Amino acid sequence: MQFETRAIHVGQEPDPATGAVTTPIYQTSTFAQEAVGVHKGYDYARVANPTRTALEECLASLENAEHGHAFSSGLGATTSIMHLLDPGDRVVCVNDVYGGTFRMFSQVYEPKGYRFDYVTPDELSSDPAAHVGDARLVWIETPTNPLLNVVDIAAVAAAARAAGALLVVDSTFATPYLQNPLDLGADIVLHSTTKYLGGHSDVVGGFAGTNDPTIADRLRFLQKSLGAVPGPFDAWLVLRGVKTLAVRMERHCANARRVVEFLAGHDRVTRVLWPGLPEHPGHEIAARQMRDFGGMVSFLVDSEEEAVSLVARTSVWTLAESLGGVESLIEHPARMTHAATATGPFAAPTNLVRLSVGIESADDLVGDLAQALAAAPARV
Ligand SMILES: *Cc1c(COP(=O)(O)O)cnc(C)c1O
């Protein structure tokens, strides 16, 4: 079955008990047993819940994964994956990761004796073996947040495999509609389902998929033992969102292209960062490993003052953190989503503005940016 069909049907057969076409929200914490240990596969809802199972099967299918695990948030998934390691282990991480990932690595795991080396996406893509070394795990994000850098998944996967390291790809920005890291050799694909998979800015969730049965068993154990699981209603919201992922992503990508064309020609914009631009340093890799270039766009303006005032001058674009919903969002990473990176080895540029391009009319989106940029104070 094709992607669009799997998004709507996998794990979501009509309910055998009632024929309900939509997967029910199994709002229950426990399940009756016929005799001790005799049940229909469910005993306690932290371990498993049928609504969550439907979501796990659906997302696993979309990522061409044998096994899927849903979590209470993207960082819940990250925490559980990090528990595959032991103190003292070395992690190689791209230096342009989600701010919350960096905060967890640097303020939670580093003090416990885990070791982290941060590498630029370009360095990692061009000579992955030199950087992987004795790492137990390689953590990449592509495209990255907020700079839209691209990492060569296949090249890093080959180097990680040769060195006996696990490769985790945070594919939140791309979604399974645009990119499938496991097909390129990654061991684990991770999503914040809060973003495009949920798609409506109404739920927080995470997902990890893998084809390795040993990793899958351990993640299943960690899911129940650490307890970062989504409730049934949250699982259902993501499941509902995913049904329209394909059509939403088509529009996100098309609208992003329109917005990029507008910004690239604007004299108040110093630089536009979007992997779809031929001059983007990761364009060739992105064209190879992604089906389209996504709905996230960042751009640079003259100064921090200009960036901070610009993001407050839009009206169709909402000033807010997060991304991937149907509505367009604008934000200032250095003071908002990426404030935690300010003290790290890589700080978000203070004159950077990040856009999550929604699925409204592209004319309205461009018109609103035009008025916000036109209202910029005169250049001195
Ligand atoms: C939001 C985000 C996360 C964290 O996910 P939560 O659901 O907020 O915990 C991780 N990676 C990326 C790329 C993100 O955008």
Side-chain angles (χ1 to χ4, degrees), residues 151-203:
V151 183
D152 188 332
I153 299 173
V156 178
R161 184 132 308 173
L166 289 180
L167 173 62
V168 179
V169 178
D170 181 340
S171 197
T172 298
F173 271 32
T175 83
Y177 187 66
L178 299 182
Q179 169 176 292
N180 295 117
L182 300 183
D183 292 351
L184 300 169
D187 297 289
I188 300 174
V189 57
L190 172 132
H191 289 283
S192 167
T193 59
T194 313
K195 315 295 169 50
Y196 288 103
L197 296 178
H200 297 74
S201 305
D202 54 10
V203 64

Side-chain angles (χ1 to χ4, degrees), residues 1-3 5-12 54-68 176 180 182-183 207 209:
M1 277 192 292
Q2 297 299 311
F3 185 96
T5 314
R6 284 182 280 138
I8 292 169
H9 293 292
V10 171
Q12 305 167 77
L55 175 64
E56 290 175 334
E57 288 179 2
C58 181
L59 293 185
S61 165
L62 298 185
E63 278 295 5
N64 302 328
E66 290 290 325
H67 313 275
N180 295 117
L182 300 183
D183 292 351
F207 174 80

Side-chain angles (χ1 to χ4, degrees), residues 45-47 52 56 70-73 223-224 226-231 234:
R46 173 162 35 74
V47 180
R52 192 176 97 204
E56 290 175 334
F71 294 93
S72 53
S73 66
Q223 188 188 33
K224 90 174 164 196
L226 296 171
V229 294
D234 286 0

